[in-house]
Amino acid sequence: MKIGLLGKGTIGTGVFNLASKADWLEVCKVLDKKIEASCMVTDINAVVNDHGIETVVETMGGLHPACEYAMKALENGKHFVTANKLLVSTYGQELLAAARRHGKAFLYSAACGGGIPFLRNLMAAREVDSISSLGGILNGTTNYILSSMRSADLSYEEALLNAQKLGYAERDPSSDVDGLDTMRKLMLSCAVGFNSFVKPEGIPVRGISQIDTQDIEYSKAHCCSIRLCAYSEMKDGRLAAYVQPELCRLNSHENATVSNLNYAWYKGQSCGTMGFGGQGAGMYPTATNILADLKAIESGILYMTSDKCSPLQIDNSRQMRSYYVRLESGFDFPEDFIEESCVSGNQRFITTRAMPVAVMFELLGNEKKAFFAGKEVQSC
Ligand code: HSE
């Protein structure tokens, strides 16, 4: 297969290097800002107008011009493969429509879970089974922060700094620590697993930046650890989805997922729960998933969603969870939901009864001085 590569950063270099060792793959052109080799170009038209190139692989990241380049590639009759979850979660519907119009592929296995073959297996399962729920730890940066806060007794700030030094977290870590990266991967999982395009506005998202060492202590005292988890469930035609910190039992897969690893799972009515762990980012793991998409195209797989994939509103009204909550002692938390409560200094620690997820997000979803975590992780 002859490919054009858009971007030669970390992932692009991984694809380039793996392709140079694969006898079935040839990188004909590489689009980048500067020309370092004869195959490199700085004009997208040199890639999309090259009749020899069958597939365009996008590893440049960002929304623009990635979206315009993707459209150009599809309109010029190229298959399109990407690792860009921001692009797919924002313009996936439009890109899929363009790909179907031109009879070309639109695949994005590496955009959720980096090197983990999660979306590909989820797609295969959806074709023979009915997926009832899915989720997991979809962000390595936050997992590194949470697991090292616990294992090395670090503050949030110290763990974040280490994550930045190790290259896991960006200089501006907000999309990771605020849960947006996890949410985008959950959107892709909903499209693949439930054939449903969901809008980001509909998904309640709580990240980890409010966490404190007191929360880690609470989790230890209750034989749990804290992880940032995505969750989605399809029941009676209603699709629930949310992202929040969870207290995970010590014998759970989530607790065993340490450092910057990811763990994604789905549950099918016939197959039961299937879990996938591994590197959710990085040069070669992510590039491997891109190469697997290229192989899939060769075997005739062009799309990750069926032609029945359609928009669906998120409805969390039936989601009931109990929570651990830490907030300032003066905060007026509704008594009806409280099972246990104690005050220490200016902090109040609450265990709630099962309560609607939507209500928890209404109460504390934007509260900067509170931390909350779901009490029973859902995958087990
Ligand atoms: N920032 C992401 C993470 C990179 O930490 O998981 C992979 O999508």
Side-chain angles (χ1 to χ4, degrees):
M1 177 183 277
K2 294 185 174 185
I3 67 168
L5 185 60
L6 309 186
K8 199 163 177 274
T10 306
I11 312 299
T13 301
V15 172
F16 188 87
N17 292 348
L18 291 185
S20 69
K21 288 187 263 172
D23 57 6
W24 57 277
L25 203 53
E26 184 188 341
V27 181
C28 296
K29 292 214 167 99
V30 180
L31 178 82
D32 210 88
K33 288 193 191 98
K34 49 183 194 288
I35 294 183
E36 290 165 343
S38 59
C39 66
M40 295 187 78
V41 296
T42 54
D43 180 2
I44 182 66
N45 292 309
V47 178
V48 296
N49 291 333
D50 183 330
H51 297 300
I53 290 176
E54 302 158 75
T55 305
V56 169
V57 176
E58 185 267 317
T59 58
M60 54 200 289
L63 267 189
H64 303 288
C67 180
E68 291 73 17
Y69 290 2
M71 280 295 180
K72 264 187 184 233
L74 292 166
E75 281 161 6
N76 277 267
K78 315 291 184 201
H79 300 301
F80 183 70
V81 172
T82 181
N84 186 337
K85 65 239 164 197
L86 179 61
L87 175 67
V88 181
S89 62
T90 311
Y91 293 116
Q93 226 175 312
E94 291 81 355
L95 292 172
L96 177 64
R100 284 193 182 277
R101 230 174 15 250
H102 295 281
K104 294 296 160 186
F106 173 43
L107 299 180
Y108 43 86
S109 297
C112 174
I116 303 173
F118 176 62
L119 290 185
R120 189 172 315 111
N121 280 282
L122 178 59
M123 174 174 72
R126 183 206 67 225
E127 284 172 357
V128 296
D129 199 354
S130 173
I131 306 298
S132 50
S133 53
L134 56 82
I137 298 168
L138 305 180
N139 182 269
T141 301
T142 47
N143 207 59
Y144 174 83
I145 293 171
L146 293 171
S147 58
S148 65
M149 278 181 79
R150 183 184 169 108
S151 62
D153 281 327
L154 300 180
S155 68
Y156 171 75
E157 289 74 18
E158 288 168 332
L160 172 58
L161 200 62
N162 286 350
Q164 284 169 324
K165 281 185 193 154
L166 287 164
Y168 302 149
E170 306 284 332
R171 203 171 301 163
D172 174 5
S174 51
S175 81
D176 290 320
V177 298
D178 293 339
L180 299 175
D181 179 79
T182 299
M183 178 198 72
R184 290 178 189 127
K185 292 165 179 167
L186 182 60
M187 289 170 68
L188 304 194
S189 306
C190 288
V192 175
F194 300 125
N195 260 326
S196 300
F197 295 120
V198 297
K199 290 207 181 307
E201 306 82 71
I203 304 178
V205 180
R206 181 72 169 177
I208 64 161
S209 50
Q210 290 78 18
I211 198 166
D212 185 276
T213 48
Q214 295 173 94
D215 307 315
I216 302 290
E217 290 311 315
Y218 177 94
S219 72
K220 280 185 185 170
H222 290 79
C223 300
C224 289
S225 59
I226 298 174
R227 297 287 185 262
L228 183 66
C229 294
Y231 181 73
S232 183
E233 176 186 297
M234 180 68 93
K235 203 169 182 186
D236 305 328
R238 294 168 195 254
L239 184 64
Y242 54 89
V243 174
Q244 66 183 16
E246 302 277 359
L247 283 165
C248 305
R249 290 189 303 270
L250 294 186
N251 65 356
S252 65
H253 293 294
E254 284 81 358
N255 176 62
T257 305
V258 293
S259 188
N260 67 330
L261 296 175
N262 286 195
Y263 174 73
W265 60 270
Y266 60 78
K267 188 172 182 180
Q269 273 175 14
S270 304
C271 69
T273 302
M274 297 286 163
F276 302 79
Q279 279 295 343
M283 178 188 283
Y284 288 115
T286 310
T288 308
N289 234 348
I290 290 175
L291 261 65
D293 276 354
L294 298 174
K295 270 281 179 208
I297 294 172
E298 284 199 335
S299 68
I301 294 171
L302 302 188
Y303 311 111
M304 306 193 73
T305 50
S306 86
D307 53 4
K308 294 189 184 61
C309 195
S310 56
L312 193 62
Q313 286 223 320
I314 295 297
D315 178 353
N316 282 327
S317 61
R318 294 187 179 181
Q319 290 296 306
M320 300 290 286
R321 300 290 306 280
S322 55
Y323 284 94
Y324 154 74
V325 181
R326 174 183 50 79
L327 34 63
E328 291 201 315
S329 51
F331 192 96
D332 189 17
F333 195 86
E335 292 297 321
D336 285 357
F337 296 130
I338 297 177
E339 184 155 285
E340 281 175 21
S341 161
C342 70
V343 173
S344 171
N346 67 346
Q347 301 285 293
R348 188 176 182 200
F349 298 83
I350 295 171
T351 305
T352 76
R353 302 197 170 95
M355 60 182 283
V357 168
V359 171
M360 175 53 87
F361 274 86
E362 269 165 38
L363 282 169
L364 297 180
N366 294 316
E367 190 56 48
K368 295 213 163 26
K369 292 185 175 162
F371 177 79
F372 64 87
K375 275 193 65 191
E376 278 293 314
V377 74
Q378 299 277 293
S379 71
C380 307

